[in-house]
């Protein structure tokens, strides 16, 4: 009985596709993108404009965090993972084991990880060591870094966030965040919290910078302090610059490849700047997955 039902379903499925071949065509033009909350606005804008350009395509973009996107790529529930951090060796191996293919990393934009303060905060610059002190709890009052006599309130991202992982590695030098750090589910939520609290500090992508003050950042306590401008980020002078990635299980093909080619084109890269991130340098945008510097170059 079950076999007969399955046979009937297959038969009627073939009849349906024969009568309506556009249904199979539309299915083949569908692409799912999932991952980084930092990148979700950029991904949605790309999808919106690409679907206007290619009306028969269907691009679905959702956030949830880089870790969530990578997990979805491993288990096969997304075609493209958006990630604001490089994938780990363990994640690379999981993709190989599941799909028998190497993960492919494509840098699609560049970001300067910005430090957010309330507009009325008198602090204009912070060094990486001061930021580490703040988020590990060694520095607890703004007067310790040249500000007012106010307790520092730290906002950050949840641990499935690529921004969380990047900040922990490159600013905290893999030390733990202080328990007082208030974790929020997206960069927009961090910006909103900081904009309403004179004592607050937060971090996130450069595109999310309305309603807050961007502090200048120094590599060392005596070095020059820099804003995350396009010039400073693309040159690597800004100390917390990073690539934003798309990941695939194997080489992209079909509609996913067409979309990726468009994203990397001058037209697609113009959208990067429109959204508030920085377009890629002309060279070195495609590498196999690994630890990467801005522009997709291997370290």
């Amino acid at each position: 009985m079950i076999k007969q039902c399955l046979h009937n379903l297959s038969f009627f499925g073939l009849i349906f596709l024969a009568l309506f071949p556009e249904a199979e065509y539309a299915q083949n033009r569908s692409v799912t993108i999932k991952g980084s909350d930092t990148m979700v606005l950029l991904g949605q804008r790309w999808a919106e404009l690409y679907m206007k350009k290619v009306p028969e395509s269907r691009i679905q973009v959702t956030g949830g965090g880089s870790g969530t996107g990578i997990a979805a790529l491993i288990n096969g529930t997304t075609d493209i993972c958006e990630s604001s951090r490089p994938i780990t060796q363990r994640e690379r191996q999981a993709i190989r084991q599941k799909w028998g293919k190497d993960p492919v990393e494509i840098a699609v934009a560049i970001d300067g990880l910005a430090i957010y303060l309330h507009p009325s905060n008198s602090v204009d610059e912070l060094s990486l060591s001061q930021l580490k002190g703040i988020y590990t709890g060694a520095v607890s009052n703004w007067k310790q870094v040249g500000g007012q006599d106010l307790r520092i309130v730290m906002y950050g991202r949840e641990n499935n966030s690529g921004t969380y992982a990047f900040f922990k590695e490159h600013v905290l030098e893999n030390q733990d965040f202080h328990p007082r750090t208030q974790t929020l589910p997206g960069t927009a939520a961090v910006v909103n919290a900081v904009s309403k609290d004179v004592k607050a500090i937060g971090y996130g992508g450069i595109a999310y910078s309305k309603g807050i003050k961007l502090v200048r950042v120094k590599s060392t306590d005596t070095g020059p302090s820099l804003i995350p401008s396009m010039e400073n980020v693309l040159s690597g002078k800004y100390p917390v610059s990073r690539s934003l990635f798309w990941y695939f299980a194997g080489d992209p093909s079909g509609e996913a490849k067409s979309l990726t080619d468009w994203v990397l084109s001058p037209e697609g890269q113009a959208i990067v700047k429109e959204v508030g991130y920085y377009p890629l340098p002309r060279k070195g945008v495609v590498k196999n997955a690994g630890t990467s510097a801005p522009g997709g170059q291997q370290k």
Side-chain angles (χ1 to χ4, degrees):
M1 182 69 179
I2 293 175
K3 287 183 178 180
Q4 183 62 40
C5 289
L6 290 173
H7 174 77
N8 290 341
L9 285 172
S10 298
F11 175 75
F12 286 119
L14 290 172
I15 296 261
F16 178 80
L17 290 177
L19 293 175
F20 304 101
E22 66 275 10
E24 182 180 23
Y25 179 70
Q27 185 177 12
N28 291 338
R29 303 303 296 265
S30 297
V31 178
T32 57
I33 303 172
K34 188 174 183 64
S36 169
D37 286 311
T38 296
M39 299 175 67
V40 71
L41 292 179
L42 178 57
Q44 288 172 345
R45 184 63 175 153
W46 273 329
E48 176 189 355
L49 295 179
Y50 184 81
M51 285 189 289
K52 286 182 179 179
K53 189 178 182 70
V54 187
E56 60 272 24
S57 65
R58 295 293 180 268
I59 315 298
Q60 180 182 8
V61 182
T62 56
S66 298
T68 299
I70 293 167
L73 187 66
I74 293 169
N75 65 35
T77 56
T78 192
D79 300 304
I80 301 172
C81 163
E82 290 191 315
S83 181
S84 59
R85 65 162 175 86
I87 66 172
T88 66
Q89 290 297 325
R90 179 178 293 181
E91 291 162 345
R92 288 166 59 99
Q93 186 60 32
I95 291 170
R96 288 196 195 101
Q97 288 179 347
K98 177 73 174 183
W99 301 107
K101 301 175 182 178
D102 284 328
V104 171
E105 170 191 282
I106 299 180
V108 292
I110 307 295
D111 181 30
L113 192 68
I115 307 302
Y116 312 137
L117 301 184
H118 189 274
S120 66
N121 194 317
S122 61
V123 173
D124 292 321
E125 61 180 26
L126 290 167
S127 67
L128 290 180
S129 64
Q130 288 172 326
L131 285 169
K132 178 181 177 181
I134 289 170
Y135 274 94
T136 57
V139 176
S140 58
N141 193 296
W142 282 112
K143 69 180 180 181
Q144 293 175 262
V145 290
Q148 296 174 277
D149 186 6
L150 295 171
R151 181 177 63 87
I152 299 174
V153 177
M154 300 93 73
Y155 290 97
R157 296 294 313 282
E158 296 172 320
N159 61 11
N160 68 330
S161 159
T163 300
Y164 166 98
F166 185 89
F167 193 89
K168 181 175 181 179
E169 178 182 355
H170 293 274
V171 178
L172 303 193
E173 298 176 309
N174 287 316
Q175 290 191 24
D176 289 333
F177 285 84
H178 193 274
R180 286 202 318 271
T181 304
Q182 300 181 48
T183 57
L184 298 174
T187 307
V190 173
V191 168
N192 183 59
V194 172
S195 70
K196 295 178 178 178
D197 188 347
V198 67
K199 303 183 295 297
I201 185 171
Y203 59 86
I206 185 60
Y208 295 80
S209 57
K210 293 182 179 179
I212 47 82
K213 172 181 178 178
L214 293 180
V215 71
R216 298 194 303 270
V217 179
K218 302 186 290 185
S219 295
T220 64
D221 291 336
T222 58
S225 59
L226 300 168
I227 60 170
S229 66
M230 184 162 70
E231 179 184 357
N232 289 334
V233 168
L234 294 182
S235 68
K237 293 178 182 177
Y238 185 71
V240 276
S241 304
R242 59 178 177 171
S243 294
L244 302 177
F245 301 107
W246 277 7
Y247 283 103
F248 304 82
D251 291 322
S253 60
E255 196 67 26
K257 184 179 188 308
S258 297
L259 172 63
T260 304
D261 290 343
W262 177 78
V263 161
L264 297 176
S265 74
E267 185 179 2
Q269 287 296 293
I271 307 306
V272 175
K273 193 171 182 181
E274 176 190 305
V275 171
Y277 294 110
Y278 302 132
L280 295 166
R282 288 189 174 273
K283 296 181 180 180
V285 297
V286 180
K287 290 286 182 181
N288 284 335
T291 302
S292 302
Q297 301 288 347
Q298 298 288 339
K299 286 185 177 179

